[in-house]
Amino acid sequence: MQTYGLTVDRFLDHAAKWHGGASVVTASSDGDDAVISYADLRERASRLSGALLDLGLRPGDRIATLAWNTQHHVEVWYAVMGVGMVCHTLNPRLTVEHLAAMIDQAQDRVLIVGQGLTDLARALCNACACVERVILLDGEQPAVGSATPEQGLETLLEEGGRPEIWGRFDEATPAGLCFTSGTTGAPKGVLYSHRSNYLNTLRCLGADALALTQSDAVLVAVPMFHANAWGLPFAAAAVGATMVLPGRVTDGAALAGLIRRHGVTLAMGVPTVWLGLVDHLDRTGGETPSLKRIVVGGSGIPDALRERLENRLGVRVQTSWGMTELSPMGTLSPPATGAEGSGRTAMGLDMQLFDADGVALPQQRNVVGRLKVRGHSVVERYYGHAETALDAEGWFDTGDLAQIDDAGNLTLSGRSKDLIKSGGEWINPAEMEDIVGALPSVDLVAVIGRADPKWGERPVMVIAPRQGETVEDAAVVAALKGRVADWWLPDQIVNVPQMPLAATGKINKMELRALYGAA
């Protein structure tokens, strides 16, 4: 059989040739959204590849992006990866110190910057000697006399753009670099290969997974700087689906308008994004009749919010679980049945439950264990680390506690790092979070451990009430009584107007511990 390299540039090649009239849409604040065909986007990305090579960049070089979900960012992804360079996506909501450490570790030669992020980019250039040049997207203008040379994307294409042939490298070549979110520990870099991204995309497209087709319009509300944007810029191109990009604005009003204007059928993002959408529709009225499915991930979705979305929007909610280290798809509930735990895994990822000593549980169904995985799109070692991230049998420890039912559905039972040891016994925050999160007056809830001189740790519950609601301590305790042991009950319940979130939409427990975890 033919040797056919599994490289991600083939997705856009396919879209341009066979779905060339399908569109990539970028939102505009005035509703005059930018629309480009896959064929035209591919032509621009190919010329950008040539321009980057003419700047002296070479395959293997790391190119950092600090940008939102826009057409230009998609062009950069394919232009960089298509010629064997590595696209290092940076989270714009991190501090200069954290971003600079990532840039220095990756030794990024170029920083590519989106709308409203030029000040941050210039601070990073001052901190990182490895950055030789800045390229500005989304109409941002270069500064005169800047210490690091700056150039607008359109100027670069006009002056140096030339078509370049893609894919002339091995499929094991690195394609992307993303650092973990760091909500529970220090961020670590995950280096994706073309092969791992390609195979992950095929898993995503399965009929019991995303089931994405040419007739779909998919709203990519997952940040492109996090975990391959769940693979959507690859998957949408692979089938010729319309790709709708919200830019930097993902509030409920903006997303409702995008869904209506472009007939979005499938939307993907973290629960807090869809909470904003349904809150907006409840306040202002209106419908989103084209929307059929919402895929949620990044953090667990409370049953009350899932039911609210399905009832108010008339959609099917598909729950998922994944990690940056998994490229990122782990499990996904099928479109036909919707939410059942975090869904089932597709071919290419194996899962197994272990005890605290790393021994596989003899019973793998309907028991809680420490979840380990292995597969073609699972990290082997973190970027810059000599030691492997796997055990002796090739399993990667996810850090999650989970159980698997008889049908193969995965349900997470919390993070092993989140467990609270009180008086020598374990408290599982996730169980209490699920119970209290189901209260109709609660939007978000998190339980953390606070140092205690007598017990070692005691639980503190932090609650963000639903807009216009109040949550009484007595109601919280009543919900928990009889469902968890009395000694699990939180020593303190804190109501906050807004839950601190990481840029990926996960609750930032590191920040909560800093605020409320001291004795």
Side-chain angles (χ1 to χ4, degrees):
M1 305 304 289
Q2 292 184 12
T3 298
Y4 185 90
L6 306 183
T7 56
V8 300
D9 50 279
R10 295 188 185 276
F11 297 135
L12 189 52
D13 283 346
H14 177 84
K17 183 173 183 178
W18 299 108
H19 306 283
S23 300
V24 174
V25 177
T26 301
S28 173
S29 57
D30 61 6
D32 186 18
D33 305 324
V35 180
I36 189 172
S37 69
Y38 276 115
D40 287 343
L41 188 147
R42 195 247 178 247
E43 186 270 338
R44 284 173 54 88
S46 174
R47 288 197 293 120
L48 180 55
S49 293
L52 294 174
L53 291 172
D54 286 349
L55 291 175
L57 299 168
R58 292 293 176 262
D61 284 342
R62 273 76 63 203
I63 312 299
T65 67
L66 189 72
W68 311 107
N69 291 20
T70 67
Q71 169 198 321
H72 284 178
H73 200 180
V74 175
E75 291 168 354
V76 168
W77 270 34
Y78 280 102
V80 169
M81 297 182 199
V83 290
M85 300 176 197
V86 179
C87 185
H88 175 197
T89 52
L90 295 169
N91 181 341
R93 299 188 179 102
L94 295 179
T95 65
V96 171
E97 181 183 7
H98 286 150
L99 291 171
M102 296 174 186
I103 292 172
D104 281 339
Q105 184 179 349
Q107 286 293 288
D108 297 317
R109 292 186 61 188
V110 172
L111 181 57
I112 299 181
V113 184
Q115 184 181 42
L117 298 170
T118 52
D119 288 344
L120 176 57
R122 288 162 189 154
L124 290 170
C125 288
N126 290 335
C128 302
C130 59
V131 177
E132 303 166 11
R133 177 180 296 269
V134 173
I135 297 172
L136 302 171
L137 310 180
D138 310 326
E140 289 290 314
Q141 296 302 308
V144 178
S146 58
T148 305
E150 297 181 4
Q151 192 170 15
L153 174 66
E154 299 303 334
T155 301
L156 182 62
L157 286 175
E158 290 170 7
E159 296 178 353
R162 60 172 177 81
E164 180 65 29
I165 298 173
W166 284 346
R168 294 183 291 187
F169 46 80
D170 188 88
E171 63 186 28
T173 298
L177 176 63
C178 181
F179 280 75
T180 58
S181 61
T183 55
T184 58
K188 296 185 287 290
V190 178
L191 188 67
Y192 305 114
S193 70
H194 281 263
R195 180 179 185 273
S196 67
N197 280 342
Y198 195 105
L199 293 175
N200 185 70
T201 301
L202 297 186
R203 293 182 66 242
C204 289
L205 291 173
D208 275 341
L210 288 186
L212 193 60
T213 72
Q214 178 188 3
S215 60
D216 280 306
V218 57
L219 173 59
V220 186
V222 187
M224 287 179 64
F225 53 75
H226 178 64
N228 289 326
W230 298 359
L232 289 174
F234 301 139
V239 298
T242 297
M243 184 162 34
V244 181
L245 304 166
R248 66 182 301 174
V249 181
T250 56
D251 62 77
L255 294 184
L258 269 179
I259 292 168
R260 286 192 285 259
R261 290 196 299 275
H262 301 286
V264 168
T265 58
L266 170 64
M268 297 182 66
V270 297
T272 49
V273 169
W274 310 122
L275 176 62
L277 173 64
V278 74
D279 277 348
H280 167 75
L281 293 176
D282 281 349
R283 287 194 307 270
T284 64
E287 305 293 334
T288 52
S290 64
L291 190 60
K292 306 302 179 190
R293 291 185 289 144
I294 290 177
V295 176
V296 295
S299 61
I301 181 171
D303 287 343
L305 176 56
R306 176 181 57 80
E307 293 169 4
R308 186 179 170 204
L309 290 172
E310 292 188 334
N311 294 334
R312 176 64 177 83
L313 304 179
V315 299
R316 174 80 73 185
V317 173
Q318 289 179 259
T319 52
S320 70
W321 164 78
M323 301 178 70
T324 303
E325 291 91 338
L326 274 58
S327 300
M329 181 181 160
T331 62
L332 186 64
S333 62
T337 57
E340 263 186 70
S342 297
R344 299 195 295 264
T345 187
M347 176 62 194
L349 183 77
D350 195 11
M351 304 186 298
Q352 193 157 324
L353 300 177
F354 294 76
D355 66 17
D357 296 320
V359 178
L361 298 179
Q363 172 66 33
Q364 287 287 313
R365 294 292 190 268
N366 304 307
V367 294
V368 175
R370 294 174 181 247
L371 178 65
K372 295 187 180 184
V373 297
R374 60 186 178 188
H376 53 58
S377 299
V378 177
V379 69
E380 178 184 2
R381 68 188 71 241
Y382 289 105
Y383 183 74
H385 290 223
E387 67 276 11
T388 181
L390 310 180
D391 68 15
E393 295 181 350
W395 292 100
F396 172 75
D397 188 347
T398 67
D400 286 309
L401 301 173
Q403 58 181 316
I404 304 169
D405 68 15
D406 290 331
N409 294 301
L410 178 78
T411 299
L412 297 182
S413 303
R415 295 282 293 169
S416 59
K417 290 181 180 179
D418 288 343
L419 293 177
I420 298 167
K421 198 164 192 178
S422 184
E425 300 292 338
W426 292 108
I427 296 172
N428 187 350
E431 291 189 38
M432 291 193 285
E433 290 165 353
D434 286 345
I435 293 168
V436 175
L439 297 175
S441 57
V442 173
D443 257 353
L444 296 171
V445 58
V447 176
I448 60 167
R450 182 169 64 194
D452 185 272
K454 180 177 181 180
W455 302 107
E457 285 185 302
R458 288 298 299 155
V460 173
M461 179 173 286
V462 183
I463 295 173
R466 187 172 168 182
Q467 189 172 23
E469 301 277 357
T470 57
V471 181
E472 300 293 338
D473 289 2
V476 173
V477 172
L480 293 170
K481 275 278 191 179
R483 300 183 67 181
V484 301
D486 282 352
W487 61 273
W488 279 32
L489 296 175
D491 279 11
Q492 182 182 8
I493 299 171
V494 180
N495 279 260
V496 295
Q498 188 170 2
M499 188 71 73
L501 303 176
T504 55
K506 296 179 183 179
I507 294 174
N508 193 333
K509 286 197 171 182
M510 287 184 69
E511 184 173 339
L512 289 178
R513 290 187 185 104
L515 292 170
Y516 307 110

